[in-house]
Amino acid sequence: MANEKGQILLYQTPDGESRIEVRLQDETVWLNLDQMAELFQRNKSTISRHIKNVFEEGELQKEMVVANFATTSQHGAIEGKTQTHEVEYYNLDMIISVGGTHKKLLLVRPSHQRTDIKEDKDMNHDLSIRL
């Protein structure tokens, strides 16, 4: 993946329960495991299991949908100090694959890049992502 800096946008779920920082880079959306768990309101182990299944079934290739981004966080033992570490992020293709089992996804892109709507009739939430 290109190492140019991307944009960070704030996404709020339609019910207002969750607010998630969404990374836009290399013409796609990127979320880490914690963010996908928050977005789909599931625990991390459930999301991780879905991701594992996507790779095992050959639906997506890891090298195409996973990128490591440096993330800065507060140092746990030293007050006022930060630390940087690499975190795996998953692109929109993976978000759709995982989310397709949980929610109705509405993906809004410029008209020359329209994406079909994926729907799971058992769920009643919408996710709109504008690129």
Side-chain angles (χ1 to χ4, degrees), residues 13-126:
T13 56
D15 61 9
E17 292 292 318
S18 299
R19 293 173 56 121
I20 302 160
E21 286 187 359
V22 177
R23 178 186 292 265
L24 297 175
Q25 187 168 330
D26 299 326
E27 299 182 12
T28 192
V29 174
W30 297 90
L31 296 178
N32 63 36
L33 187 63
D34 290 331
Q35 292 168 318
M36 281 204 292
E38 179 71 20
L39 177 66
F40 297 121
Q41 299 173 352
R42 299 290 188 266
N43 62 45
K44 286 177 18 177
S45 64
T46 299
I47 301 299
S48 184
R49 188 173 58 250
H50 282 290
I51 290 170
K52 181 179 177 233
N53 289 340
V54 166
F55 292 141
E56 284 179 355
E57 293 170 7
E59 182 181 341
L60 297 171
Q61 300 300 311
K62 186 172 185 172
E63 52 277 349
M64 302 300 291
V65 298
V66 177
N68 289 311
F69 294 115
T71 301
T72 302
S73 62
Q74 191 65 34
H75 193 286
I78 304 171
E79 187 175 332
K81 182 172 171 94
T82 59
Q83 57 189 9
T84 301
H85 54 279
E86 295 284 316
V87 175
E88 278 191 345
Y89 280 76
Y90 303 92
N91 75 7
L92 184 58
D93 292 332
M94 180 61 80
I95 297 166
I96 291 169
S97 291
V98 170
T101 61
H102 294 296
K103 299 185 185 284
K104 181 171 145 183
L105 299 176
L106 174 60
L107 307 175
V108 183
R109 294 184 179 191
S111 59
H112 66 283
Q113 297 179 346
R114 287 288 179 216
T115 301
D116 293 332
I117 297 172
K118 292 192 168 243
E119 182 175 352
D120 182 336
K121 294 182 175 78
D122 295 331
M123 301 306 281
N124 59 2
H125 293 35
D126 291 334

